[in-house]
Every structure is written in structure tokens, then in C-alpha cells.
Amino acid sequence: MSEKFLRVEHIGLAVKNLNDSIRQWTEILGEPPYHEEEVASEKVKTIFFQVGETKIELLGGTSPDSVIHKFIEKKGEGIHHIAMEVKDIEAEMHRLKSLGYTLLNETPKRGADNKLICFVHPKNTGGVLLELCQSIVE
Ligand code: ZN
């Protein structure tokens, strides 16, 4: 078992219409989402469903120039990223960077659901946008 990576924290899905997707995922999982949050800096609204130890995060763009709209235009709706919870996000960012991976932000940034996050560019990961995250303990 990895001591550095603790679990798949959530899977992020890019959706065209948040309300339609909330309805659909509530129907599939048999339970409504537990959290919603707008990340204004990214022009994204996020909706979280708990699924056992992990979560499904729906991502809807709040403006036509949102990264989610651009993603859907290019690739269509579907899996946008996989988020892994790490023990020490700064240590993992340093480690992956020294191995040649491209990080999309140089310092951890604040993401939805009370997390510090960093994305790893999909060009190094076989096309998978990887999010590292660590819970903020306050
Ligand atoms: Zn995420």
C-alpha cells in the first residue's frame, strides 16, 4: 500500500447541464448531493455526492470561457479528472516535479470541499488529468 497516496478521493465529471446531471446522479445513487460550491476563480460550480469512501464531483461551467466548457467542446462530457488524496501535497508536488511531471500550479491552491489541490498535466499521465488533494485541517 502506498504511504504517499491514500485513496481515490473523488472522480470529477464534466457536465453540460448541472441540473440534469444532479437529477440523474441522484437517481443512480439513490441519494442527493451533500455539498455544492462555486469556485469563482475557475468559473466552475461543483456538486459532490458521497459514494462510500469516495465521491463523485460534478463540474459545470458558469461562463462560456470556463475550462469546463472548453473541455466539453474538445472531448465531450465525461470523466474530467481523478483526484487522489495524498499525505503531504507539497512533498508529492516536489517529488513528481523532480521526476519530470508537469504541474499546472506551482503551489497548492485552494479547491472545493475544503482541500488544497494541485493538477498534474495529462500529457505526462497517459491522458489522465490527475488532481492531488489534501484536506485542510483547521
Ligand atoms: Zn476535483
Side-chain angles (χ1 to χ4, degrees):
M1 204 172 107
S2 173
E3 304 249 306
K4 298 174 169 38
F5 283 71
L6 306 176
R7 62 177 172 141
V8 174
E9 214 282 333
H10 63 267
I11 295 172
L13 308 180
V15 306
K16 270 187 193 158
N17 183 311
L18 264 181
N19 288 333
D20 288 351
S21 293
I22 291 169
R23 217 172 298 125
Q24 185 177 40
W25 281 96
T26 299
E27 188 174 273
I28 292 169
L29 299 171
E31 232 176 277
Y34 71 91
H35 182 65
E36 70 169 72
E37 186 173 338
E38 195 163 328
V39 184
S41 58
E42 310 280 324
K43 296 170 184 160
V44 170
K45 190 169 173 189
T46 62
I47 305 289
F48 286 90
F49 292 89
Q50 191 73 45
V51 185
E53 297 246 306
T54 188
K55 297 156 189 167
I56 293 285
E57 174 186 32
L58 303 181
L59 301 153
T62 56
S63 142
D65 61 339
S66 157
V67 289
I68 296 303
H69 281 129
K70 286 178 196 151
F71 176 90
I72 290 172
E73 260 169 43
K74 234 165 105 182
K75 298 191 165 178
E77 286 186 294
I79 295 178
H80 178 264
H81 65 271
I82 296 179
M84 308 269 193
E85 185 181 7
V86 295
K87 211 169 183 176
D88 181 342
I89 192 166
E90 297 206 33
E92 292 319 310
M93 288 171 69
H94 274 119
R95 191 175 66 86
L96 293 177
K97 202 176 167 185
S98 72
L99 290 171
Y101 292 88
T102 305
L103 306 179
L104 294 186
N105 43 297
E106 289 297 312
T107 52
K109 59 179 181 177
R110 203 163 177 134
D113 208 24
N114 212 30
K115 296 273 189 300
L116 287 174
I117 65 167
C118 175
F119 284 100
V120 182
H121 198 287
K123 75 180 176 188
N124 303 128
T125 58
V128 178
L129 178 60
L130 179 62
E131 176 186 336
L132 308 178
C133 66
Q134 185 182 349
S135 291
I136 297 169
V137 185
E138 283 167 310

